[in-house]
Amino acid sequence: MKLQRMNRRALALGALAVSGALALTACGSDETGGNTGGDSSNAAAAGDIKCDDASGQVLADGSSAQKNAVDAWVKQFSAACQVEINYKAGGSGAGVTAFTQGQVPWAGSDSALKPDEVEASKKVCSGGQGIDLPMVGGPVAVGYNVPGVDKLVLDSATIAKIFDSKITNWNDPAIAKLNPDAKLPNLKIQAFHRSDESGTTDNFTKYLIATAEKDFPYEGGKAWQAKGGQSAPQSSGVAAQVKQTAGAIGYFELSYAKDGIKTVAIDTGAAEPVEATVDNATKAIADAKIVGTGKDLALELNYATKADGAYPMVLVTYEIVCDKGNKAETLPAVKAFLRYAASEDGQKILAENDYAPMPDEIIAKVRTTVESLS
């Protein structure tokens, strides 16, 4: 159902009564740390959203890395369209499973669909299959909690050894060599990884395998494989453990590096160590290649880049949806929501929330594909 066009102030005020509870429902998981963007863009973004015949409720699941981005999108989308978007953020593995089993009409995953997952999707996509739409980018930040250490530089080999329990103390010579000016304490390292199947884990380990295979001899994937360490569920869980544990280190999307959590700069071999920032992640994503076929827009990232200012430990979150054969009752709402997420306004909100917008060439193809969904 369309809401009548109103002036910006009237829209923002009137939509609260209808959709305020809906936005809260969509934000109701245990993920924390989001910033839904400044008020200056709220009315403008809502006024430009094309609702079409979207209505009702949409349940989705998947990547917790993009949860804060989805929350920001939902806030704007629900102010314009009478649609309830409830994004569970149970992790990429859970999202893909829910999608291929027909439990949700779209899912978020930080890894592109594998061939067996594409085959499974054909059972729920009548006459079609699941496709990957790259929508959200950003750095996988390595956050740490080491008292007295405000800046920390690590390289891929050292990170690999820390997360494989080969380096176990913060004053280890390998860390000291990379941080000659830091006062590293004699403190045990508490390394935290994801307990659930996670696209963040997949991208984190792909980086380590691509750049430090000798020190990280694992196949990689969504499930954690290295030795030792401690686990926590979802990006919010890992970030919470790092924040409250002296000596902790963990990996999560940059938007979860809040409330005093410091992040590691990576020595990639470039002129200077590279910080985990949105701009630096975008420089790395711009070097990606589209390797999907047909309407699938899966990307191949260059984790081993040594370009100045390019942060190599990046992830791209895909919105996974049927190219054809989407359920008639949810297609209008899903299509309208993804159209907004891929729009100029939707991508602008990403940068306001510590995510990296997709490069112009990639997002243009995403927009065309969204319009073709049926």
Side-chain angles (χ1 to χ4, degrees):
M1 178 182 294
K2 284 188 178 180
L3 293 177
Q4 290 182 328
R5 289 192 174 274
M6 307 175 183
N7 62 48
R8 293 179 178 177
R9 178 172 176 79
L11 175 59
L13 291 173
L16 286 175
V18 178
S19 63
L22 304 185
L24 289 174
T25 300
C27 300
S29 83
D30 64 348
E31 299 291 354
T32 59
N35 177 352
T36 53
D39 290 338
S40 61
S41 64
N42 288 0
D48 292 338
I49 295 174
K50 184 180 179 183
C51 300
D52 287 341
D53 297 321
S55 62
Q57 181 183 39
V58 174
L59 176 65
D61 198 358
S63 163
S64 65
Q66 72 163 359
K67 178 60 166 60
N68 294 331
V70 173
D71 282 353
W73 284 335
V74 166
K75 181 178 180 180
Q76 303 298 331
F77 187 73
S78 294
C81 307
Q82 289 185 330
V83 178
E84 177 181 347
I85 304 289
N86 192 333
Y87 185 71
K88 187 177 178 182
S92 295
V96 171
T97 297
F99 175 75
T100 57
Q101 291 181 351
Q103 298 170 5
V104 297
W106 67 272
S109 176
D110 305 321
S111 301
L113 291 170
K114 295 179 180 178
D116 61 322
E117 293 168 339
V118 173
E119 283 301 311
S121 74
K122 293 179 181 179
K123 297 179 181 179
V124 296
C125 301
S126 179
Q129 66 179 49
I131 56 173
D132 303 285
L133 302 179
M135 200 78 82
V136 180
V140 178
V142 178
Y144 69 96
N145 180 350
V146 183
V149 180
D150 293 328
K151 294 184 178 180
L152 185 69
V153 175
L154 298 175
D155 57 18
S156 60
T158 306
I159 294 172
K161 291 175 183 177
I162 287 173
F163 281 90
D164 197 28
S165 301
K166 295 172 183 173
I167 292 178
T168 59
N169 203 286
W170 280 109
N171 64 357
D172 188 276
I175 302 176
K177 184 177 180 180
L178 291 164
N179 299 273
D181 298 326
K183 295 182 180 179
L184 298 168
N186 181 15
L187 179 65
K188 182 180 178 181
I189 295 174
Q190 308 280 354
F192 286 91
H193 57 264
R194 290 281 289 272
S195 59
D196 53 321
E197 287 199 355
S198 161
T200 309
T201 294
D202 191 16
N203 284 274
F204 178 64
T205 55
K206 279 180 180 176
Y207 165 73
L208 295 178
I209 292 167
T211 58
E213 186 176 13
K214 181 181 71 173
D215 298 302
F216 200 79
Y218 301 98
E219 294 181 359
K222 294 177 183 177
W224 184 255
Q225 299 170 347
K227 299 176 182 178
Q230 302 176 64
S231 64
Q234 305 181 345
S235 295
S236 61
V238 175
Q241 290 297 326
V242 170
K243 181 180 177 181
Q244 68 189 23
T245 307
I249 188 170
Y251 60 90
F252 34 79
E253 215 282 332
L254 180 62
S255 68
Y256 292 95
K258 301 291 186 182
D259 301 326
I261 295 178
K262 301 178 179 67
T263 59
V264 169
I266 298 180
D267 183 346
T268 64
E272 298 290 341
V274 186
E275 300 281 352
T277 69
V278 167
D279 288 344
N280 291 346
T282 298
K283 291 177 183 177
I285 295 171
D287 195 31
K289 298 178 181 178
I290 295 176
V291 294
T293 58
K295 293 183 179 179
D296 186 81
L297 300 177
L299 302 176
E300 181 178 83
L301 298 168
N302 180 12
Y303 296 101
T305 181
K306 295 182 179 180
D308 288 345
Y311 185 84
M313 197 187 303
V314 295
L315 63 76
V316 169
T317 301
Y318 300 95
E319 311 312 331
I320 295 172
V321 67
C322 298
D323 58 354
K324 294 187 294 184
N326 290 279
K327 294 180 180 179
E329 61 268 27
T330 54
L331 177 59
V334 170
K335 195 168 181 177
F337 182 74
L338 295 181
R339 178 189 294 122
Y340 167 62
S343 71
E344 184 176 345
D345 286 332
Q347 290 290 297
K348 180 182 177 182
I349 282 179
L350 294 181
E352 296 172 356
N353 289 272
D354 295 324
Y355 292 94
M358 288 294 99
D360 290 343
E361 181 179 351
I362 294 173
I363 201 63
K365 293 181 179 179
V366 171
R367 290 166 184 158
T368 299
T369 304
V370 168
E371 294 304 326
S372 72
L373 298 179
S374 63

